[in-house]
Amino acid sequence: MATLKLDNVKKSFGKTDVIHGVSVDVEDGEFIVIVGPSGCGKSTLLRMVAGLETVTSGEVRINGKRVNDVEPMDRDIAMVFQNYALYPHMSVFDNMAYGLKIAKVPKPEIAERVQTAAKLLQLEPYLQRKPRELSGGQRQRVAMGRAIVRKPAVFLFDEPLSNLDAKLRVQMRLEIKALQRELGVTSLYVTHDQVEAMTLADRMIVMNAGVADQIGAPLDVYANPETEFVAGFIGSPPTNFIDAALVGGQSGRIGVRPEHIALSDTGLLTATVGYSEALGAETLVHLRTGDGAQITVRQDAALPIPGEGETRGLSWTDENVMRFDASGLRQH
Amino acid sequence: MAERNGMVEKRGSGLWLTHLGLIIGVAFIFFPIWLAFVASTVDQQDIVRPPMPLLPGDKFFENYGRALVSGVNAPVATMLWNSLVMALGIALGKIAISLLSAFAIVYFRFPGRKVFFWLIFLTLMLPVEVRIVPTFEVIANFGMLNSYSGLILPLIASATATFLFRQFFMTVPDELAEAARVDGAKPMRFFFDILLPMSRTNIAALFVILFIYGWNQYLWPLLITTDPEMNTIVMGIKQMFPSGDDFAHWPTIMATSILAMVPPVIVVIGMQKLFIRGLVESEK
Ligand SMILES: Nc1ncnc2c1ncn2[C@@H]1O[C@H](COP(=O)(O)OP(=O)(O)OP(=O)(O)O)[C@@H](O)[C@H]1O
Ligand SMILES: [Mg+2]
């Protein structure tokens, strides 16, 4: 198995700097999710690990070996692409076997490895079909199968589920997680979906405009965001941000998660109730403060739902307040 | 419902009209060919003396046999063979060259890439007829007159086909090339294993077009083949026409014309399925 190390990796396309130095140590068998908004450089980072993009500066090490100048095939990685990138004229079997054929693996072994992978992914009935004769979910599995048969040291996934419908996405998410557990292969997984990130990751890298804002276990990141960006990006509905000056602070803003705010008659702040969303188990109440900031409160469904236009107080306890300075860094 | 019935009826009469139109069109195009066929199965006397017969005569084997074996200047069999070699050479050569150049232009960054692209583009504006004198000079100096290579080589470079493949390659998702790279395929392996099979309908369509293009070449073979043994069929037909007081054996000429049509027809019919698929869809 394998470890992966990024050491101050940077990337520029011509004069535009896209990745501003990312460092991370990935342990053997760890599932790392790279998450961030569109255009923040997730794919670029992953593609540098794959060897599809050159590294401008810094180092990529797989199993301790520097691979900056190594061809993708010699890096011992396998990649699952967003659009699957299956070879359209080859059968499912040939799609999975292609890499092994090139590596001159003996035929019986190829057959055996493909069979094993097909069994694992429930693809056995489809081995002779062409990709266009498969559903989206099945194509997705073939793409996974192609990665699995190579028994790589590192799996790389670039938004592999983004072309699937919501239900299938949840199902495939579970399957990917189970599969990765079972195979124990070190994995790097890119997504812009924070729910996917929270559920899949052993640790996640939250990217913001080419910088890794925070690296940590999902619940740690959720509970202790290091920057305002992370606090706002991870969690749904997102963290409420309030100008610190409004509640007796100095500069910067404070963040409070929707589940940590309670509606009361008097509070630290008053706000006007907008619309409310009753989701069954819980209710989301959207309010607007005097200075126009949007506040979302997540409360138990059993609590009364305030009427639109009412003015309510907002209260929270001090331990749930996250303080950020003017540059967005967390103050402890 | 009523509206629907009306629609069907309207479509019904429309259908008949369209068919009628098409049938007239086909008859119009086909009639001269039919006359040529009839003329190739009768006696010289039957043709020379009006009215022209409209039904085939009984000299089919005699006329075709004579055409194939002896012909007028050269046996038609020889000319057919020459044409076949030339048409195949041009079609396959053009396809091979343009596939490779399109591959280079689309998938590689090399110095002068743009320049080469525009150079290829320029040749579009220089058809054979325009550059025929200098090309003749070159071929003559290489001693390639009266040879297959002389017939084929100058016609092989093809900007059109290069463009077609370039266009097609650009629609192939980049991810596919990257997946192949991760799978360990070197560029040429990617070309042969993935790009080539994916282009097969385009290749088939192009083959049909280029085969006919090659088969129908007239001016160039006329210029560089002086030896009757190297004549191609299309120029051969022209040379059979009587000049001055020569005596023309029309049934043989007509038989030759019909024979000249057969190979392109076989190619079109044989590759019809692939050809049409290549024109209307590109498989991805
Ligand atoms: N080949 C390139 N040349 C120039 N700029 C590029 C190139 N590829 C990517 N970029 C830029 O780099 C930035 C990061 O791109 P990247 O594809 O890594 O984003 P991403 O985080 O994967 O976004 P998404 O979630 O939309 O896929 C973008 O601003 C993009 O415009
Ligand atoms: Mg991306």
Side-chain angles (χ1 to χ4, degrees):
Chain A
M1 295 288 112
T3 59
L4 170 70
K5 185 181 167 77
L6 303 187
D7 188 8
N8 201 19
V9 169
K10 292 184 185 169
K11 176 74 188 177
S12 322
F13 290 108
K15 285 197 182 71
T16 16
D17 298 331
V18 173
I19 307 281
H20 305 283
V22 172
S23 302
V24 62
D25 265 305
V26 182
E27 277 163 39
D28 178 26
E30 211 176 4
F31 199 121
I32 299 281
V33 175
I34 304 172
V35 64
S38 186
C40 68
K42 309 178 293 288
S43 299
T44 308
L45 190 63
L46 192 78
R47 291 161 55 80
M48 283 194 284
V49 176
L52 295 171
E53 212 76 77
T54 55
V55 179
T56 307
S57 78
E59 273 192 346
V60 179
R61 288 177 178 272
I62 295 176
N63 269 335
K65 185 179 149 236
R66 185 176 185 274
V67 293
N68 284 32
D69 306 312
V70 177
E71 270 292 301
M73 63 176 137
D74 301 321
R75 290 192 182 196
D76 206 7
I77 49 116
M79 185 151 171
V80 178
F81 294 87
Q82 179 170 357
N83 297 313
Y84 320 136
L86 301 177
Y87 310 123
H89 59 289
M90 293 188 195
S91 67
V92 168
F93 182 96
D94 289 334
N95 260 288
M96 293 207 252
Y98 188 57
L100 300 178
K101 263 184 206 152
I102 292 177
K104 301 215 165 62
V105 175
K107 274 223 168 93
E109 195 187 332
I110 294 182
E112 190 221 297
R113 281 213 224 169
V114 173
Q115 280 298 340
T116 315
K119 196 164 174 184
L120 199 63
L121 295 161
Q122 294 146 30
L123 280 173
E124 281 164 309
Y126 310 113
L127 281 177
Q128 295 316 319
R129 291 214 197 160
K130 296 276 168 66
R132 67 166 173 277
E133 299 159 344
L134 299 177
S135 73
Q138 289 161 346
R139 284 180 210 183
Q140 175 56 49
R141 287 208 186 89
V142 177
M144 303 262 304
R146 187 166 65 180
I148 291 173
V149 293
R150 306 188 49 209
K151 301 191 177 160
V154 183
F155 275 144
L156 304 174
F157 300 88
D158 193 353
E159 310 210 18
L161 304 183
S162 58
N163 282 347
L164 302 179
D165 67 59
K167 199 166 162 212
L168 200 53
R169 195 146 58 204
V170 173
Q171 183 196 338
M172 287 304 294
R173 192 168 81 202
L174 295 172
E175 282 184 28
I176 288 181
K177 181 76 183 170
L179 206 63
Q180 196 267 345
R181 281 264 163 76
E182 188 171 333
L183 302 171
V185 179
T186 312
S187 302
L188 218 52
Y189 184 109
V190 163
T191 179
H192 60 254
D193 178 349
Q194 50 116 356
V195 179
E196 233 169 70
M198 295 288 290
T199 49
L200 283 172
D202 291 329
R203 278 193 300 159
M204 60 192 202
I205 303 177
V206 186
M207 297 272 298
N208 174 20
V211 177
D213 259 19
Q214 190 166 2
I215 301 175
L219 289 180
D220 281 345
V221 173
Y222 184 84
N224 282 307
E226 290 295 338
T227 67
E228 205 175 304
F229 170 80
V230 175
F233 190 75
I234 302 296
S236 171
T239 301
N240 299 299
F241 292 104
I242 300 159
D243 207 334
L246 285 181
V247 288
Q250 316 84 3
S251 65
R253 302 206 286 175
I254 63 162
V256 190
R257 296 228 177 251
E259 60 269 32
H260 294 147
I261 302 185
L263 295 179
S264 51
D265 294 329
T266 58
L268 299 157
L269 203 63
T270 56
T272 316
V273 177
Y275 64 102
S276 304
E277 297 169 285
L279 301 176
E282 63 193 22
T283 305
L284 301 181
V285 183
H286 299 277
L287 307 100
R288 194 174 284 279
T289 61
D291 68 340
Q294 271 284 347
I295 303 286
T296 305
V297 176
R298 179 191 233 152
Q299 64 176 21
D300 199 273
L303 294 172
I305 299 173
E308 216 169 312
E310 279 179 35
T311 303
R312 305 300 307 266
L314 304 174
S315 56
W316 56 80
T317 57
D318 201 43
E319 81 237 27
N320 287 325
V321 172
M322 306 178 272
R323 290 186 177 77
F324 300 99
D325 67 14
S327 63
L329 282 182
R330 179 86 178 264
Q331 308 296 116
H332 288 281
Chain B
M1 211 45 201
E3 214 171 301
R4 234 195 176 175
N5 278 339
M7 286 257 298
V8 170
E9 235 149 71
K10 220 160 114 203
R11 227 189 120 231
S13 62
L15 210 64
W16 279 109
L17 271 177
T18 352
H19 270 86
L20 195 69
L22 288 175
I23 288 166
I24 291 174
V26 168
F28 194 71
I29 304 274
F30 190 69
F31 188 63
I33 299 174
W34 174 252
L35 274 190
F37 177 70
V38 169
S40 73
T41 60
V42 295
D43 245 342
Q44 171 84 344
Q45 275 72 36
D46 296 326
I47 300 179
V48 185
R49 167 170 31 87
M52 178 87 198
L54 289 177
L55 289 176
D58 55 358
K59 297 284 190 312
F60 179 86
F61 291 104
E62 197 187 319
N63 290 339
Y64 279 81
R66 181 168 44 219
L68 277 174
V69 179
S70 54
V72 177
N73 297 319
V76 171
T78 309
M79 294 197 288
L80 277 176
W81 172 252
N82 290 341
S83 276
L84 189 70
V85 171
M86 180 175 76
L88 280 179
I90 290 174
L92 296 179
K94 267 184 191 272
I95 288 173
I97 297 248
S98 44
L99 268 172
L100 286 172
S101 42
F103 180 55
I105 286 173
V106 175
Y107 284 94
F108 295 90
R109 307 271 163 278
F110 51 90
R113 179 166 152 269
K114 280 246 169 68
V115 176
F116 282 112
F117 179 75
W118 286 108
L119 280 179
I120 293 173
F121 187 78
L122 270 179
T123 64
L124 260 184
M125 299 168 207
L126 301 171
V128 184
E129 288 74 14
V130 174
R131 55 187 159 96
I132 204 155
V133 174
T135 312
F136 180 83
E137 193 67 27
V138 170
I139 295 296
N141 287 338
F142 274 124
M144 289 202 278
L145 298 179
N146 285 317
S147 73
Y148 287 132
S149 39
L151 277 174
I152 295 169
L153 289 182
L155 299 179
I156 271 189
S158 171
T160 327
T162 308
F163 267 109
L164 199 118
F165 286 124
R166 170 179 176 265
Q167 254 16 60
F168 173 70
F169 289 168
M170 293 205 309
T171 66
V172 173
D174 286 346
E175 282 193 347
L176 222 50
E178 290 174 350
R181 210 171 143 204
V182 172
D183 265 342
K186 296 258 164 44
M188 282 326 280
R189 179 114 200 211
F190 168 70
F191 177 74
F192 284 113
D193 284 358
I194 291 157
L195 228 39
L196 212 52
M198 280 179 72
S199 328
R200 67 182 184 283
T201 51
N202 293 50
I203 293 176
L206 212 58
F207 178 81
V208 173
I209 293 168
L210 295 179
F211 182 87
I212 292 170
Y213 164 84
W215 187 267
N216 288 342
Q217 281 303 315
Y218 172 69
L219 195 54
W220 181 246
L222 190 66
L223 212 61
I224 76 150
T225 64
T226 44
D227 182 357
E229 282 296 300
M230 287 306 294
N231 282 1
T232 63
I233 188 86
V234 173
M235 61 171 287
I237 293 171
K238 176 71 172 80
Q239 289 192 333
M240 284 177 175
F241 286 6
S243 54
D245 305 331
D246 276 0
F247 161 80
H249 193 258
W250 287 107
T252 313
I253 297 177
M254 288 303 145
T256 309
S257 303
I258 295 290
L259 283 171
M261 268 189 284
V262 172
V265 168
I266 291 175
V267 166
V268 170
I269 292 177
M271 303 190 74
Q272 195 179 24
K273 240 167 118 187
L274 275 173
F275 175 61
I276 289 174
R277 207 147 44 109
L279 287 184
V280 297
E281 68 163 279
S282 53
E283 205 182 309
K284 251 163 266 131

